[in-house]
Amino acid sequence: MKDYASGEIRNVAFVGHGSCGKTSLTAACLFDAGVTSRLTKVDKGNTVTDYEPEEIERKISIGAAACSIETAGRKINILDTPGYSNFLWDTRAALRAVDGAVVVVDAVAGVEVGTEKVWEMVEEFGLPRLILINKMDRENAHFDRALESVRQFFGRQAVPIQIPVGEERGFQGVIDLVSLKAVLFEKDESGKSSEADVPAGMKEEAEKRHRELVEMIAESDEALMEKYLEKGELSDEEIMAGLRKAVREHALYPVLAASGFLNIGVQTLLGRIIDILPSPVERKAIAVRSGDKEEVLQAGPDGPFAALVFKTISDPYTGR
């Protein structure tokens, strides 16, 4: 693995209610980046981040686990966190170590108790976030219903930047509402995709949601609002710049769609993590205590070395 400048790194936690698909999503990220040679599965007990015997037996995450991938010239450090209430203390500890979060929501169940709890933690640490409506391949999966659930709990700032092409067994990809292009995936779990025009039957909906997205972005920035009112449109570059700014100021929460289990929409998620979420040097300064003194540290390559220990592991077999 090559050395990466601080601005080329993304530290992100996958958080959400238990069994919303965070570990399957992590497994797909690792596979797509070439870290693993096959798409591992929770049901088979062979995922990288659920490795403890009890996790394999219960098929749930009990502790936060870290992994790294390299993609598009960037390094993404992912923390796969527990979602069940008995283990949320480890999720909270993990959130201290990241610069952004992906809040994962089940496309069938919508927002659940665990979703609300982890959202409160993300708010506590002031983290920019994306919202991923996962498991779009499941029976009874419904993007709009899940989105309405998200907006009911977290506000109208939750705005789609993608919409799914198909649902349940028909889920085959996403439409990017910035570029108004479809990204269609193979159904063989390979993660291979191709760009296409928006399907004819979805053009009207995609254009309507594109306008809504642009209006929400323009609302969050005076300069963009003036340009939008003057010209009636913004360029793709202006939309992305406005979106980055709005997310980092907690004015917007972009919503995406995927199926970690089938490896559909995962690569587009990774692209948006890189495009939208901050690097370590872009996050706010951190208050730290040294003895009786408190000081504020700003992350940067020229500052003094500082590290945070957020998790320790005791291995009884170390040295044997």
Side-chain angles (χ1 to χ4, degrees):
M1 185 175 285
K2 74 169 192 176
D3 288 335
Y4 287 88
S6 300
E8 298 173 328
I9 296 172
R10 301 292 182 273
N11 299 313
V12 60
F14 290 168
V15 299
H17 187 81
S19 296
C20 67
K22 301 181 294 297
T23 300
S24 295
L25 188 65
T26 304
C29 292
L30 292 167
F31 175 69
D32 288 346
V35 177
T36 57
S37 59
R38 56 179 173 161
L39 184 61
T40 56
K41 302 286 186 179
V42 172
D43 288 344
K44 293 181 180 178
N46 60 0
T47 62
V48 171
T49 52
D50 277 2
Y51 55 86
E52 294 286 356
E54 198 167 355
E55 291 178 313
I56 294 170
E57 182 182 348
R58 294 189 181 196
K59 296 180 173 55
I60 63 170
S61 297
I62 292 175
C67 58
S68 298
I69 65 171
E70 295 174 290
T71 182
R74 300 290 187 272
K75 179 184 179 185
I76 304 177
N77 296 315
I78 299 171
L79 290 181
D80 175 21
T81 67
Y84 287 101
S85 57
N86 288 352
F87 313 113
L88 285 179
W89 53 271
D90 216 28
T91 300
R92 188 178 185 281
L95 287 172
R96 297 183 63 207
V98 297
D99 309 305
V102 175
V103 180
V104 183
V105 177
D106 189 314
V108 178
V111 173
E112 302 173 83
V113 174
T115 323
E116 294 181 71
K117 288 183 177 180
V118 297
W119 187 275
E120 290 173 0
M121 295 177 187
V122 172
E123 286 275 277
E124 177 187 351
F125 292 111
L127 295 174
R129 72 216 69 164
L130 307 178
I131 299 172
L132 180 73
I133 296 179
N134 191 31
K135 297 191 174 183
M136 283 299 306
D137 60 297
R138 283 186 62 195
E139 186 177 353
N140 295 322
H142 198 291
F143 181 81
D144 284 338
R145 186 176 61 227
L147 175 62
E148 183 56 36
S149 171
V150 167
R151 284 177 163 168
Q152 179 183 342
F153 284 93
F154 308 134
R156 65 184 288 271
Q157 302 102 305
V159 57
I161 60 171
Q162 294 176 353
I163 55 174
V165 178
E167 294 179 331
E168 300 181 334
R169 291 184 179 180
F171 180 53
Q172 56 184 309
V174 297
I175 295 171
D176 183 344
L177 296 178
V178 176
S179 65
L180 285 177
K181 289 288 184 180
V183 183
L184 304 179
F185 290 77
E186 301 289 340
K187 288 290 192 77
D188 58 3
E189 302 182 357
S190 67
K192 293 178 181 177
S193 64
S194 58
E195 191 175 276
D197 292 331
V198 175
M202 298 186 69
K203 276 188 177 180
E204 185 177 342
E205 179 189 2
E207 289 170 357
K208 175 177 176 289
R209 298 214 190 217
H210 171 80
R211 288 193 300 272
E212 291 173 353
L213 172 62
V214 173
E215 287 170 4
M216 291 286 285
I217 292 170
E219 278 181 27
S220 67
D221 186 283
E222 275 189 37
L224 289 178
M225 176 61 83
E226 287 179 15
K227 188 161 189 178
Y228 181 65
L229 292 175
E230 181 183 335
K231 296 190 174 182
E233 186 56 278
L234 299 174
S235 68
D236 290 359
E237 292 75 17
E238 288 168 332
I239 292 171
M240 287 305 301
L243 189 58
R244 275 194 295 271
K245 181 173 180 287
V247 169
R248 292 168 193 190
E249 293 176 352
H250 304 168
L252 291 179
Y253 312 127
V255 181
L256 302 90
S259 165
F261 186 78
L262 292 184
N263 198 11
I264 296 176
V266 177
Q267 291 184 25
T268 52
L269 168 67
L270 291 174
R272 290 318 188 201
I273 287 174
I274 291 170
D275 293 340
I276 297 173
L277 292 182
S279 70
V281 294
E282 294 169 313
R283 71 172 298 165
K284 293 180 179 178
I286 303 167
V288 298
R289 181 175 292 278
S290 176
D292 295 331
K293 294 192 304 180
E294 188 171 286
E295 58 181 306
V296 175
L297 295 182
Q298 181 63 55
D302 301 323
F305 173 77
L308 169 71
V309 177
F310 70 95
K311 184 180 177 75
T312 60
I313 298 173
S314 176
D315 185 349
Y317 298 103
T318 297
R320 295 191 185 181

